[in-house]
Amino acid sequence: AQSVTQLDSQVPVFEEAPVELRCNYSSSVSVYLFWYVQYPNQGLQLLLKYLSGSTLVKGINGFEAEFNKSQTSFHLRKPSVHISDTAEYFCAVSASNAGKSTFGDGTTLTVKP
Amino acid sequence: GAVVSQHPSRVICKSGTSVKIECRSLDFQATTMFWYRQFPKQSLMLMATSNEGSKATYEQGVEKDKFLINHASLTLSTLTVTSAHPEDSSFYICSAISHSDLNSPLHFGNGTRLTVT
């Protein structure tokens, strides 16, 4: 079984500031890792994923994440945020061949002008 | 990119009635679809895994007879909330996995806001 812990429930930042949303996971098997963004009353949109290979993963909208196996972390970063990045962000993990994902509780990113 | 269409986006129904929510994969075949429930300001809770042509697998604590799932084709899964009650009011989201790549990320529908009065 897998579990995901998003360490910050809310992250307020000012526009153009850098941001990091933290995610730790636990699993007894190899996993795939994902970050999703959810805007109000909408489904989830994939930001980026780690399947294998380079531990630094670049996604859409200028986001990137780094997989750290020793620390079982997959933190999401963006060097300069925009007002439009205000949303809910979910970290998710799935076993290598199961398809079913376990989600963290989400982090609300609020970008202030 | 892969598109999942969920319908309706919003539905209001009276207590005791049933509501059907559809989830369609528009440009790929989805052997497996997942149904989630999301309460306000909370994460997604997996309700069931729907496999084409077979019975759905429900998560612990989810009532099979209340949340009926049918996955009759590789592009369509339906969730029927039977005899809905106000406590069933929630945001329901479906997702689908591409038949050709079980390790691909989930493609999500835009969700259905169910309000039971």
Side-chain angles (χ1 to χ4, degrees):
Chain A
Q2 300 89 39
S3 68
V4 178
T5 302
Q6 290 184 241
L7 298 165
D8 308 292
S9 59
Q10 297 192 44
V11 174
V13 293
F14 286 104
E15 193 174 18
E16 298 184 4
V19 71
E20 178 180 79
L21 306 184
R22 297 181 293 169
C23 173
N24 285 96
Y25 70 93
S26 67
S27 176
S28 57
V29 299
S30 296
V31 295
Y32 295 173
L33 294 156
F34 309 91
W35 274 99
Y36 293 89
V37 60
Q38 183 182 34
Y39 299 101
N41 292 311
Q42 293 189 27
L44 275 65
Q45 178 183 5
L46 179 70
L47 280 176
L48 48 78
K49 61 186 177 185
Y50 173 79
L51 303 182
S52 65
S54 173
T55 57
L56 182 63
V57 180
K58 293 190 182 297
I60 64 170
N61 300 343
F63 285 94
E64 64 180 32
E66 185 155 19
F67 171 59
N68 188 318
K69 188 174 182 179
S70 62
Q71 296 187 6
T72 60
S73 68
F74 190 55
H75 300 334
L76 180 70
R77 302 186 185 98
K78 186 169 181 177
S80 175
V81 293
H82 302 293
I83 299 289
S84 59
D85 292 323
T86 295
E88 191 77 14
Y89 291 80
F90 291 97
C91 180
V93 60
S94 68
S96 297
N97 61 355
K100 183 168 71 173
S101 291
T102 300
F103 289 83
D105 287 339
T107 297
T108 303
L109 173 64
T110 303
V111 181
K112 300 179 286 186
Chain B
V3 177
V4 174
S5 174
Q6 191 173 336
H7 179 80
S9 58
R10 292 178 179 272
V11 58
I12 301 173
C13 70
K14 292 186 177 180
S15 185
T17 61
S18 295
V19 174
K20 180 184 285 188
I21 302 170
E22 293 187 346
C23 181
R24 295 179 184 272
S25 56
L26 297 184
D27 54 357
F28 67 99
Q29 293 186 325
T31 310
T32 303
M33 291 186 175
F34 303 96
W35 286 97
Y36 294 85
R37 183 174 180 175
Q38 186 180 31
F39 291 102
K41 304 295 184 183
Q42 294 188 26
S43 187
L44 282 71
M45 180 191 78
L46 180 65
M47 299 174 66
T49 302
S50 168
N51 294 298
E52 186 265 338
S54 64
K55 290 183 178 180
T57 302
Y58 290 81
E59 296 299 303
Q60 190 174 9
V62 178
E63 299 177 60
K64 301 179 183 181
D65 295 332
K66 181 161 191 64
F67 298 100
L68 300 179
I69 291 173
N70 183 278
H71 194 159
S73 76
L74 283 172
T75 59
L76 174 65
S77 176
T78 60
L79 167 67
T80 301
V81 183
T82 62
S83 187
H85 288 94
E87 58 265 30
D88 298 324
S89 298
S90 191
F91 193 56
Y92 293 87
I93 306 175
C94 72
S95 66
I97 284 277
S98 170
H99 172 73
S100 61
D101 186 2
L102 290 177
N103 295 321
S104 65
L106 298 170
H107 303 289
F108 286 85
N110 277 333
T112 297
R113 173 74 59 192
L114 171 63
T115 303
V116 184
T117 60

